[in-house]
Amino acid sequence: MRDLPVVCWAMVWVWLLPTYSWAQVTRVDVEVVESPALGGERFGSVGQYERLRGIVYAEVDPNDPRHRGIVNLDKAPINDRGHVEYSTTVEIYRPLDMSRWNHVVYHTVSNRGGAGAAEPALLEMGLALVRVGWQGDLSPTETNIVPFLPIATNKDGSPIVGPALEEFIFNDAKTVSTGSLSYPAATLDTGEARLTVRRNQSSPRLTPDGLSWKFADAEQIQITRPEGFDGGAIYEFIYEARDPIVMGLGFVAMRDVISFLRYEERDDVGHENPLAFEGLPTAALSLGISQSGRVLRDFLYQGFNEDVSGRIVFDGIHPNIAGSRKTFTNYQFSQPGRWQKQHEDHVFPGDQFPFTYTTLTDSITGRTDGLLERCVASNTCPKIIHSDGEAELWQARSSLIVTDSMGGHIELPDNVRVYLIAGTQHGGGRGVHEAIPNRGICQNLNNPMALAEIRLALSLALHEWVVDGVEPPASRFPTVKNRGLVSAAKLGFPEIPNVEYSASYNPLHVHEHTVLPPKDGKAYTVLVGRVNTDGNMVDGIRHPNLSAAIGTYTGWNLRREGFGEGGQCGGTGSFIPFASNQTEREMFGDSRLSLTERYPTHSEYVQAVSTAADRLANQRLLLPRDKQRIVELARSSTVGTVK
């Protein structure tokens, strides 16, 4: 059996699993706190919603093989049944008239504890909306969504102590700054910790004259910043931390609460399932955006889409703007809020192989793995819609979703669809005709191109795929095979006056995280999306405001002078407006056609937007209501009216 492939080994592991039929959730203290909710607004034929909120209590068996990968679970306190207890905040929006519920759970992974409902289009479908706390290092408030996870200790009850790394970038010109530690310091002896500063990720770590620090207390340090380093300088602090949270239980919390809502009528003390109405839910979906999308990918990869009875948790998932990342969650002294960028947080774990849903052998490390390995073995794989924006190519190595480690084309499994929303920064903007772009600490104006409307259409497509068996739109993602992916150095970005194109992207190396700071190994191949002569991306899903562009919209931007000049301006993209007319364009030496050369009249501009919007709506990539709104905004704009 030694030579069995990874998938076969995983299947053997599952076949050997004992059956655990006892419920992980022991008590559900959830009640109606607002009825009607959402200002009493009515949502189509479903009508009004009400909001429920409370705490769900649960416990896990550390001897269940499904839990053996949870870091420090064996060092968490146990009850008299030998189980580890935890609890979590849960928030539910359900139709006030439950006869109008469509019996589908729509779970949104909470982003940094955020609460709230969802887009009206989802509410009009009659979904029950659920959020479950998972990020265990957040402080609870009256409104946020957090879990309450145990702290691991040594067997004798003494605190666990180990090295931890913090990074601070202050983006200001102060001389003295305060940095908060993710975990308390085990000792206030400054000789047991080290602070360095560097200008950017590739610069040497220095301890120059003028740099000093001290503990304000066990959870904060005060840094005196040296001359010669600007607001974008990276301060790295390595210290001995204590009291690690068993953060991997955050994945368990999502799994167990959704499993309870799907499969159980009541808890151990007789409290009814708040979604048990004329039967139990028939399906469960989950959306994760940004940090939450990375969590959803990690949740799947680590096998948590199988509950303790071997049942599927989510039938469909939609990781959005997660790129090829996972999270820094199931680690000792983990920091789930970190997200690795070219300038910030670059050395933290969470972005290593595997990157995609296809099982591959990594040519650099020799490992064979994929995000679906565990769910394939347990027959609990969901249908997956993965969507990214253009920023994720530049900043989250999204090309690795559709390539191997060295940039070769790969095919994806049948249960996966992938989409790239071109011309957008991380999370998208408020809209081309709604936002007033600014520069902040960046060189170029921030990118206002929206992506939320397309993400919503994809979420509805996932619902139709899972519930009705209707195939979603075909994948729309640039690939090596269709020549949509190229190296940043060979992009051919146009020369634009006063705009620097440096081919800067967020590189990825094999990291050795057993030492701090981590050591870089060999580099993976990261590619970006090809562009046209305007510098706008060609492939993927193009928003109507990109098809009828009034400027260049990119997934990258650079930091300006005084803030780590030249480094990527993390999360943002660029908006570089076209000149108003030919005279202005020629005056500045801009090769891109001006607005009046593109749209001689206002009606021609509106028609260009309308045609593009119709095309996306026909492809089920834009809802009719959003199509209409986009066209109306174009009609109320001044494009084509000013000569």
Side-chain angles (χ1 to χ4, degrees), residues 300 315-319 357 371-372 375 381-386 414-419 462 465-466 472:
L300 179 65
D315 303 285
I317 64 172
H318 182 182
Y357 304 96
L371 297 185
L372 302 186
C375 72
C381 286
K383 291 179 169 61
I384 300 166
I385 279 181
H386 177 112
D414 291 340
N415 64 316
V416 179
R417 301 291 186 276
V418 291
Y419 307 89
L462 177 63
W465 193 12
V466 169

Side-chain angles (χ1 to χ4, degrees), residues 79 205 285 349 460 471 505:
N79 60 22
R205 294 168 168 83
L285 312 176
L460 266 63
E471 288 282 326
Y505 64 92

Side-chain angles (χ1 to χ4, degrees), residues 415-435:
N415 64 316
V416 179
R417 301 291 186 276
V418 291
Y419 307 89
L420 196 291
I421 305 169
T424 55
Q425 65 181 27
H426 183 66
R430 288 178 51 200
V432 167
H433 296 302
E434 297 172 273

